[in-house]
Amino acid sequence: MAQEFDHSASVNDPMAARTMVMSGFPRAFLKISAVLCLMVCALLVAGFLRFASIISTTASPQIVQADGIVALTGGAKRLSDAVLLLSEGRGKRLLITGVDLEISDNNLFSLLRTDEGLRSCCIDLDRTALDTVGNAAAASDWARQHNFKSLIVVTSAYHIPRSLLEINRTAPEMELIPYPVVHDQLNLQHWYLDIAAMRLLLTEYLKYMLVRIRVVSTGQ
C-alpha cells in the first residue's frame, strides 16, 4: 500500500518548507517580470505616440532671433532655410556642421545660391562632425569661439528633440531656439498611414530615448 503524503509533517519540516517556497519563487519572479515588461512597453508606446504627435504637428516658427544660427546637414532644405534666416538678419553668423568632405566649398555655395558677400563674411563650414554628437560638439565650440549666448538650431522636425538634447549636453549655458524644417516629401502629419514615416519616427524616437538614458545615467 502506497504511503500517504503527510502534509503537516512537511510543513513542520524546515527543509520541506524551504523547498516549497523555493519552488514557488520562479513562478512569482516570472509573473513580476512579465508585469514589469508590460509596464515598460506601455510607457515606451505612450512615449512614442506623444513624440510622433509633437513632431507631426510641428511647424517652423515665423519669427526667431539669436546670436548665431547652426544648420545640421542631412537635407538641402535645412541649409537653404538656414541661409535664408541669415540673410534676414536672424543671426550674426551661420555654421553649417557635418559638411561632406567630398563636397567643395564652391559646389556647396553654388547649390545653395548663396550671395558672395554673405558667404565670405558670415558663413562657416564644419567638416569634422560625422553624427549628431559631432554636430553638437562643433556647434558648442563655434558658439563659444564667437561669444554667442543663443543659437537657432536648424534641422528636420523629427531630428530637433535629439539635436537640442545633444547641444544642451555640451553647452548647457546656451539658449537654444529650435527651427524645425518640415519636408514636403515626408508624410509626417499622417505618419500612421505611411510605413516609411512610421519607421523614421520610431527610429528617431529610439535614438532620442538612448540619448536621454545616457544623459541621465552619466550626467553628461
Side-chain angles (χ1 to χ4, degrees):
M1 183 175 182
Q3 184 178 2
E4 294 185 359
F5 178 71
D6 187 348
H7 181 71
S8 61
S10 65
V11 172
N12 292 328
D13 185 349
M15 290 299 295
R18 183 180 177 185
T19 301
M20 291 176 64
V21 171
M22 292 302 293
S23 64
F25 176 76
R27 194 177 307 168
F29 177 77
L30 289 175
K31 287 182 179 180
I32 294 173
S33 298
V35 171
L36 289 176
C37 286
L38 287 174
M39 290 177 62
V40 170
C41 289
L43 288 173
L44 286 174
V45 170
F48 169 69
L49 292 176
R50 183 173 181 275
F51 178 86
S53 176
I54 292 173
I55 299 302
S56 63
T57 56
T58 295
S60 299
Q62 297 299 312
I63 300 176
V64 288
Q65 190 73 44
D67 293 334
I69 305 168
V70 175
L72 284 65
T73 56
K77 196 170 188 306
R78 300 182 187 182
L79 306 189
S80 60
D81 281 10
V83 170
L84 179 60
L85 289 172
L86 180 65
S87 66
E88 293 177 346
R90 304 298 182 182
K92 301 172 186 176
R93 297 187 70 86
L94 164 64
L95 171 68
I96 301 177
T97 172
V99 178
D100 195 314
L101 293 173
E102 296 182 1
I103 299 178
S104 68
D105 293 8
N106 289 332
N107 285 342
L108 178 63
F109 289 122
S110 177
L111 290 171
L112 294 175
R113 300 178 181 177
T114 307
D115 177 78
E116 178 63 34
L118 195 65
R119 164 188 170 179
S120 59
C121 83
C122 308
I123 300 180
D124 302 308
L125 303 181
D126 160 60
R127 298 179 182 275
T128 62
L130 301 177
D131 51 22
T132 307
V133 175
N135 293 145
S140 301
D141 291 343
W142 176 80
R144 292 192 182 104
Q145 178 185 347
H146 293 284
N147 296 315
F148 291 160
K149 302 301 181 184
S150 58
L151 294 175
I152 299 172
V153 181
V154 183
T155 187
S156 300
Y158 62 84
H159 192 221
I160 279 287
R162 184 159 58 99
S163 300
L164 294 180
L165 198 57
E166 289 286 10
I167 297 175
N168 184 68
R169 181 181 62 83
T170 56
E173 78 283 1
M174 203 74 58
E175 178 188 358
L176 303 178
I177 303 169
Y179 191 91
V181 176
V182 180
H183 298 272
D184 296 333
Q185 65 271 29
L186 287 176
N187 189 19
L188 293 181
Q189 189 172 4
H190 301 97
W191 60 270
Y192 45 85
L193 300 175
D194 190 316
I195 296 298
M198 188 185 301
R199 185 185 300 116
L200 175 65
L201 286 176
L202 181 57
T203 301
E204 189 58 36
Y205 172 68
L206 292 175
K207 290 180 179 180
Y208 171 72
M209 288 304 298
L210 287 175
V211 175
R212 288 198 62 177
I213 291 171
R214 187 185 75 215
V215 170
V216 171
S217 62
T218 64
Q220 54 179 291

